[in-house]
Amino acid sequence: MELIKLFKDKKIGDEVVVEGWIRSHRPQKEFGFIDFSDGTCFKHLQIVYDKDLVNFSEVTHFLLGCAIEVKGELVASSGKQKIELKAKEIKLLGDCPSTYPLQAKGRPTREFLREVAYLRPRTNLFGAVFRVRSIAAYAIHKYFGEKGFVYFHAPLITSSDCEGAGEMFQVTTLDLEKVAQSGKVDYSKDFFNKFTALTVSGQLEAETFALAYRNVYTFGPTFRAENSNTKTHASEFWMIEPEMAFCDLEGDMDIMEDMLKYVVTYVLENASDEIDFFDSFVEKGLKEKLNRLVKSKFVRITHEEVIRILKEANVKWEFEPEYGEDIQKEHEKYITEYFDGPVFIMNWPKDIKAFYMKQNSDNLTVAAVDLEVPGAGELMGGSQREEDYDKLVSRMEELGMEKDSMEWYLNLRKFGGCVHSGFGMGFERLLIYLTGVENIRDVIPYPRTPGNCEY
Amino acid sequence: MELIKLFKDKKIGDEVVVEGWIRSHRPQKEFGFIDFSDGTCFKHLQIVYDKDLVNFSEVTHFLLGCAIEVKGELVASSGKQKIELKAKEIKLLGDCPSTYPLQAKGRPTREFLREVAYLRPRTNLFGAVFRVRSIAAYAIHKYFGEKGFVYFHAPLITSSDCEGAGEMFQVTTLDLEKVAQSGKVDYSKDFFNKFTALTVSGQLEAETFALAYRNVYTFGPTFRAENSNTKTHASEFWMIEPEMAFCDLEGDMDIMEDMLKYVVTYVLENASDEIDFFDSFVEKGLKEKLNRLVKSKFVRITHEEVIRILKEANVKWEFEPEYGEDIQKEHEKYITEYFDGPVFIMNWPKDIKAFYMKQNSDNLTVAAVDLEVPGAGELMGGSQREEDYDKLVSRMEELGMEKDSMEWYLNLRKFGGCVHSGFGMGFERLLIYLTGVENIRDVIPYPRTPGNCEY
């Protein structure tokens, strides 16, 4: 049976059969202790055995990593768990040699574990990280599902480029060797008969669904072929992109705040062992940080006010804050500390934001919002979308964007267009916040970064 | 407010404000009727208005597709819904011209609607299809979430090829024009410094997680660059791939059956309006078909027995059934009719199945299973995985497979390997079954097929 069920349903005196892996083993002359886990929960089970086992001598040689089946009786324990398993039979299901890379001695570093990414979910740290990944993903689906949002699967291979910029991965079935030999690229021979690439965002397509269903969200992979090797960039990552019709920037922020609090609460309640572990071994104060977030009221303030506060601050900035310009990490940090909590920064200078954002009547700013969270920086970004056809067209023209392939997007403004808004959250950014693990490579099962595509 | 809430919470006499779109409009001299929807549920709301409206004359000119806000009082109706909305104010939020492609007259064909895929979720049919897509996806997450399965995000860009075959899409940042000019392909200049492609399956990577968490599943996009234009092939589609450690073929089938029944039940309960619609207008008897599935006991039978039954049948086959060979659509159909219900066909000839499947002791078959469902054909396929290192290696060698890049996969058999099983279900195949819509292009928001990659 599964450990998660055992801990929930079984009591001292019960006979059980469990299957799982040896996480550590202390064999003695007359008896032995096995730290045992089957991965179904964070908790391990201690197994005790003695010479009554018919294969006692064999069992004493079972190494860390072995898969075993244990039949026995649950007995009281003085250890961390209140129960342990007194083994009557221990059977080897899958052997493991002493060359197994995950040895208890000489605790492997995170860098080393990235090299054996296929084994790292077996460790306490990564076991907890990827379980929290799963639980947080479930919380997101639950939040939107219960609110009646339609889950929209955005296309991954695309012929449109959302941000009008963005370095994209090309997708092709052309034989590159033949391209090299023939000396020309003939897209009429390519699978889709044209240039196609991996999407950088499902937002534009999500808007088409919001104007049919009112409330929709995406939750899927997106891609950036950005050649940057930082702790926060991956080439393949998962995004959540909700999109709501008849919803302005205020309504957008309401959902951003509500969703974030829901997901954090859900993780606190459903991954409490994991959160305690991160709190003890990864980021001291993590649990308190998450609990505070859930209770806090998010501040809403304009970009202009933020710049004023920054300019008035008695701080020597590395980058001087300026009206009409972007803000830097040091500014983000200051602002969340200034308000001692999460801050929505609204109405950004239009020149540093995307073409589809609603232009404010001042002609200088757009109805965009970034959410700054203490200890996380920018966790989400959103905006009201420009619903005015003429304004959208003239903005695209200003930016020199190609309009023909975007006719469908523009048409949304012609065919019963209305006020609508949305936002995006990088799922891994949320996970870094939830776990305290700083590197994006450590919250993605098989991370893709420049030069790295194993498995 | 949202219609789904209105129908749930509001009663005759209540004052409400709703926002949504005109789905049809019959203006008369003294009054008018608007069929109104906001997309939050299948049901529409009838709006009645008369000359008391200050902008009566303007409102009579609002066309199908317009976004409007309506303030009024809920009153009793003699129509399909028990209530309708007596308007006190109707405000135009977004205009829509008479050139709007979705006109009520001359009902647009599914083929035409594919051409305007960005508008089709606004129709009754596609509105229902993509809501069921969302509800079914939620049901899948709910099923596995409640069972404690870890949701695993398989990598999309990959350097390994699961099936050892399969036509893949290459992913590259090489400038193809430069490749053509230079006359050579230099992968050291590519983003990942090697050939990479879009995954055809997340199974092999899911196995690494199953051997850490016991029970895991994937639910994400997969890709096939197969140049086939059929009703059931798309180049980009979503797959569910559960993988369970300490689970044999029998346990695998238990979960396949249980999951399918759960999802179908959930959809019947949570998309009843949509299912009724499909039953009336798309596939007569659909609801009965789904209800029967939920109540049926799935038959379990070997491939060999199936061939025997087929051979004994008094049928003139187009393809003669043969021991050791694959079965055809006509055979699948016969078998599900023969047993009058879903059939698990087990123990397939190893030569027609994948390298990773568990070799049976007869040396001829593998512990593979296909689920055949009446009216759907093959809905899922799974297998016990070969956990024996030597057998797996020799099978790969027999098939001339490259082993070096698969060392991690082979190592799973060395490091505490154990009996484990899994299966795959194409999400769109399930949706075709659930909705009665036959063409895969009509159950994917933005389908990708050879030569087609719009949006």
Side-chain angles (χ1 to χ4, degrees):
Chain A
M1 75 178 308
E2 292 151 14
L3 282 197
I4 191 170
K5 286 187 191 147
L6 182 147
F7 286 122
K8 215 172 127 237
D9 302 333
K10 295 293 177 182
K11 55 184 195 311
I12 288 166
D14 285 348
E15 293 267 338
V16 297
V17 182
V18 294
E19 310 83 17
W21 294 276
I22 295 176
R23 300 291 290 267
S24 75
H25 189 181
R26 282 177 294 140
Q28 312 282 334
K29 252 195 177 152
E30 309 280 323
F31 54 87
F33 298 100
I34 292 170
D35 181 34
F36 173 91
S37 165
D38 72 352
T40 60
C41 56
F42 187 79
K43 285 196 192 85
H44 295 187
L45 178 68
Q46 173 153 277
I47 289 164
V48 291
Y49 64 89
D50 60 26
K51 286 203 124 173
D52 288 349
L53 286 187
V54 291
N55 57 344
F56 174 81
S57 157
E58 182 201 353
V59 170
T60 58
H61 293 96
F62 290 171
L63 297 179
L64 187 158
C66 283
I68 55 173
E69 180 185 279
V70 185
K71 199 169 160 177
E73 184 188 334
L74 289 174
V75 297
S77 168
S78 54
K80 252 197 295 184
Q81 311 298 338
K82 284 174 200 142
I83 50 172
E84 60 187 27
L85 184 59
K86 175 77 176 63
K88 293 180 177 169
E89 284 177 39
I90 300 183
K91 200 156 76 183
L92 185 67
L93 299 181
D95 208 355
C96 191
S98 61
T99 55
Y100 184 50
L102 304 183
Q103 295 305 325
K105 282 176 200 169
R107 184 184 290 269
T109 64
R110 290 189 204 172
E111 288 71 23
F112 169 75
L113 289 170
R114 271 178 223 145
E115 304 290 312
V116 288
Y118 73 111
L119 297 176
R120 64 181 180 166
R122 304 177 182 198
T123 65
N124 281 339
L125 174 63
F126 289 98
V129 165
F130 296 125
R131 196 191 318 279
V132 166
R133 185 177 173 108
S134 169
I135 290 170
Y138 187 57
I140 287 161
H141 284 300
K142 211 163 143 62
Y143 176 78
F144 288 113
E146 286 170 0
K147 281 188 122 44
F149 278 56
V150 165
Y151 178 31
F152 164 67
H153 285 153
L156 282 287
I157 303 175
T158 182
S159 54
S160 79
D161 176 356
C162 171
E163 304 287 338
E167 290 167 306
M168 296 173 88
F169 288 104
Q170 181 169 2
V171 172
T172 183
T173 55
L174 292 175
D175 182 329
L176 265 52
E177 294 294 347
K178 283 189 186 152
V179 168
Q181 283 160 27
S182 70
K184 63 176 201 293
V185 189
D186 180 0
Y187 280 114
S188 74
K189 300 266 169 61
D190 206 352
F191 193 86
F192 297 111
N193 305 334
K194 59 176 159 188
F195 176 92
T196 54
L198 289 175
T199 190
V200 297
S201 162
Q203 178 204 315
L204 303 194
E205 291 87 357
E207 285 186 50
T208 68
F209 266 55
L211 291 171
Y213 290 105
R214 185 167 186 150
N215 297 321
V216 306
Y217 73 109
T218 73
F219 187 1
T222 46
F223 306 86
R224 299 274 162 95
E226 213 180 320
N227 197 1
S228 54
N229 261 305
T230 78
K231 281 185 179 179
T232 52
H233 285 86
S235 313
E236 177 180 320
F237 54 100
W238 284 60
M239 287 262 283
I240 296 105
E241 299 187 286
E243 198 70 33
M244 293 80 64
F246 309 111
C247 176
D248 61 12
L249 195 66
E250 289 293 328
D252 208 20
M253 289 186 284
D254 291 344
I255 294 172
M256 290 162 89
E257 181 170 344
D258 193 46
M259 182 200 76
L260 183 59
K261 286 178 176 175
Y262 180 94
V263 173
V264 172
T265 304
Y266 190 89
V267 168
L268 281 168
E269 285 170 2
N270 292 277
S272 55
D273 289 336
E274 285 79 1
I275 295 296
D276 285 341
F277 173 81
F278 298 138
D279 192 61
S280 301
F281 297 105
V282 181
E283 180 186 325
K284 302 272 175 213
L286 175 84
K287 199 170 168 177
E288 167 63 14
K289 175 187 87 175
L290 298 179
N291 275 311
R292 282 196 64 188
L293 179 98
V294 169
K295 288 189 207 104
S296 63
K297 173 82 190 110
F298 295 13
V299 170
R300 297 181 184 193
I301 184 174
T302 66
H303 177 270
E304 193 181 353
E305 289 171 281
V306 166
I307 299 294
R308 188 180 50 72
I309 291 167
L310 294 173
K311 279 186 171 294
E312 285 172 4
N314 188 16
V315 175
K316 178 117 190 76
W317 301 113
E318 194 184 340
F319 300 93
E320 200 55 39
E322 293 296 349
Y323 293 104
E325 287 185 12
D326 206 352
I327 63 170
Q328 306 298 323
K329 282 218 160 36
E330 55 178 337
H331 308 142
E332 295 175 1
K333 192 161 178 292
Y334 182 85
I335 280 294
T336 54
E337 281 167 6
Y338 181 89
F339 287 105
D340 194 22
V343 180
F344 283 117
I345 306 178
M346 306 175 296
N347 297 339
W348 287 72
K350 76 172 176 182
D351 291 337
I352 59 170
K353 288 289 182 181
F355 75 97
Y356 49 72
M357 295 181 174
K358 172 78 186 163
Q359 296 166 47
N360 289 327
S361 53
D362 61 10
N363 282 323
L364 293 171
T365 61
V366 286
V369 64
D370 281 0
L371 175 63
E372 300 291 343
V373 172
E378 186 199 327
L379 203 56
M380 306 185 209
S383 78
Q384 198 172 316
R385 315 310 188 188
E386 183 58 79
E387 81 273 11
D388 184 303
Y389 181 87
D390 296 328
K391 282 189 182 160
L392 185 58
V393 166
S394 68
R395 186 66 184 143
M396 288 175 76
E397 283 168 354
E398 265 174 48
L399 295 169
M401 289 177 65
E402 198 264 317
K403 293 198 304 285
D404 284 357
S405 69
M406 299 287 278
E407 197 194 352
W408 58 274
Y409 185 70
L410 290 166
N411 277 349
L412 294 178
R413 281 70 189 164
K414 274 188 182 167
F415 299 149
C418 63
V419 169
H420 63 290
S421 301
F423 64 93
M425 178 172 73
F427 185 49
E428 284 78 12
R429 209 166 269 207
L430 173 70
L431 291 173
I432 287 171
Y433 179 68
L434 287 170
T435 61
V437 168
E438 309 96 343
N439 198 312
I440 196 167
R441 291 168 183 79
D442 294 335
V443 297
I444 300 179
Y446 294 102
R448 273 75 180 98
T449 55
N452 287 301
C453 185
E454 304 305 315
Y455 308 97
Chain B
M1 78 178 305
E2 292 152 13
L3 281 196
I4 191 169
K5 286 186 191 147
L6 183 148
F7 286 123
K8 215 172 126 236
D9 302 334
K10 295 294 177 181
K11 56 185 193 312
I12 287 165
D14 286 347
E15 293 267 339
V16 297
V17 182
V18 294
E19 309 84 16
W21 294 276
I22 296 177
R23 300 292 288 268
S24 74
H25 188 178
R26 283 176 295 138
Q28 312 281 334
K29 251 194 177 150
E30 308 280 324
F31 53 87
F33 298 100
I34 291 170
D35 182 33
F36 173 92
S37 165
D38 74 350
T40 59
C41 56
F42 186 78
K43 284 196 193 85
H44 296 187
L45 178 66
Q46 173 153 277
I47 289 163
V48 291
Y49 63 89
D50 60 27
K51 285 201 123 175
D52 289 350
L53 286 187
V54 292
N55 59 344
F56 174 80
S57 159
E58 183 202 349
V59 170
T60 58
H61 293 95
F62 291 172
L63 298 178
L64 187 158
C66 283
I68 56 174
E69 179 185 281
V70 185
K71 198 169 160 177
E73 183 188 335
L74 291 173
V75 296
S77 167
S78 54
K80 250 196 294 181
Q81 310 298 340
K82 284 173 198 145
I83 51 171
E84 60 188 25
L85 183 59
K86 175 75 177 62
K88 293 180 179 170
E89 284 177 41
I90 301 183
K91 202 158 74 185
L92 185 68
L93 298 180
D95 208 356
C96 191
S98 60
T99 54
Y100 183 51
L102 304 182
Q103 295 304 324
K105 283 174 196 165
R107 184 184 288 271
T109 63
R110 289 189 204 171
E111 288 71 24
F112 169 75
L113 289 169
R114 270 177 224 146
E115 303 291 312
V116 289
Y118 73 111
L119 298 176
R120 65 181 181 167
R122 304 177 183 199
T123 64
N124 281 338
L125 174 63
F126 288 99
V129 165
F130 296 125
R131 195 190 320 280
V132 165
R133 187 177 171 106
S134 168
I135 289 170
Y138 187 57
I140 286 161
H141 284 301
K142 212 164 142 60
Y143 176 78
F144 287 114
E146 286 170 0
K147 282 188 122 48
F149 277 57
V150 166
Y151 178 30
F152 164 66
H153 285 153
L156 282 288
I157 303 175
T158 182
S159 55
S160 79
D161 175 357
C162 170
E163 304 286 339
E167 292 167 305
M168 296 174 90
F169 288 104
Q170 182 168 1
V171 173
T172 182
T173 54
L174 292 175
D175 182 330
L176 265 52
E177 294 295 345
K178 284 188 187 152
V179 167
Q181 283 160 27
S182 71
K184 64 175 201 294
V185 189
D186 180 1
Y187 280 114
S188 74
K189 299 267 169 60
D190 207 350
F191 193 87
F192 296 111
N193 305 335
K194 58 176 157 184
F195 177 92
T196 55
L198 289 174
T199 188
V200 296
S201 162
Q203 177 204 314
L204 303 194
E205 291 87 357
E207 284 184 53
T208 68
F209 266 55
L211 291 170
Y213 291 105
R214 184 166 186 151
N215 297 322
V216 305
Y217 73 108
T218 74
F219 187 1
T222 45
F223 306 86
R224 300 273 162 95
E226 211 179 320
N227 197 2
S228 54
N229 262 303
T230 78
K231 282 185 179 179
T232 51
H233 285 86
S235 312
E236 176 180 320
F237 54 99
W238 284 60
M239 286 264 283
I240 297 104
E241 299 185 286
E243 198 70 34
M244 292 80 64
F246 309 110
C247 175
D248 61 12
L249 195 66
E250 290 293 328
D252 206 21
M253 289 186 283
D254 290 345
I255 293 172
M256 291 163 89
E257 181 169 345
D258 193 45
M259 181 199 75
L260 183 60
K261 287 178 175 174
Y262 179 94
V263 173
V264 172
T265 304
Y266 190 89
V267 169
L268 281 168
E269 285 171 2
N270 291 276
S272 56
D273 289 336
E274 286 79 1
I275 295 296
D276 284 342
F277 173 82
F278 298 137
D279 193 61
S280 299
F281 297 106
V282 180
E283 181 187 325
K284 301 272 175 213
L286 175 83
K287 198 169 167 178
E288 167 64 16
K289 174 187 87 176
L290 298 179
N291 276 309
R292 281 196 64 187
L293 179 97
V294 169
K295 289 188 207 103
S296 63
K297 174 80 192 112
F298 295 12
V299 170
R300 299 182 181 191
I301 184 175
T302 65
H303 177 271
E304 191 180 357
E305 288 170 283
V306 166
I307 299 294
R308 188 180 49 73
I309 292 167
L310 293 173
K311 279 186 170 294
E312 286 172 4
N314 187 16
V315 175
K316 177 117 192 73
W317 302 112
E318 195 185 337
F319 300 92
E320 201 55 39
E322 292 296 348
Y323 292 104
E325 287 184 14
D326 206 352
I327 63 170
Q328 305 298 322
K329 282 220 158 36
E330 56 178 335
H331 308 142
E332 294 175 2
K333 191 161 179 294
Y334 183 85
I335 279 294
T336 54
E337 282 166 6
Y338 181 89
F339 287 106
D340 195 23
V343 180
F344 283 117
I345 306 178
M346 307 174 297
N347 297 339
W348 289 72
K350 75 172 178 183
D351 291 337
I352 60 168
K353 289 290 183 183
F355 76 96
Y356 50 71
M357 294 181 175
K358 173 79 188 163
Q359 295 166 49
N360 288 326
S361 53
D362 61 11
N363 280 325
L364 292 171
T365 62
V366 286
V369 65
D370 281 0
L371 174 63
E372 301 291 343
V373 172
E378 186 199 326
L379 203 55
M380 307 183 207
S383 77
Q384 196 171 317
R385 315 308 187 189
E386 182 58 78
E387 81 273 9
D388 185 302
Y389 182 88
D390 296 328
K391 282 190 183 161
L392 185 57
V393 166
S394 69
R395 185 67 183 141
M396 288 174 76
E397 283 168 353
E398 264 174 49
L399 295 169
M401 288 176 66
E402 197 266 316
K403 290 198 307 283
D404 285 355
S405 67
M406 299 286 279
E407 197 193 352
W408 57 275
Y409 185 70
L410 290 165
N411 277 350
L412 293 178
R413 281 70 189 164
K414 273 189 183 167
F415 299 149
C418 62
V419 169
H420 63 289
S421 300
F423 64 92
M425 177 172 72
F427 185 48
E428 284 77 14
R429 210 166 269 204
L430 174 69
L431 291 173
I432 287 170
Y433 179 68
L434 287 170
T435 62
V437 167
E438 308 96 343
N439 198 312
I440 196 167
R441 291 167 183 80
D442 295 333
V443 298
I444 300 179
Y446 294 103
R448 274 75 179 96
T449 54
N452 288 302
C453 184
E454 303 307 314
Y455 309 95

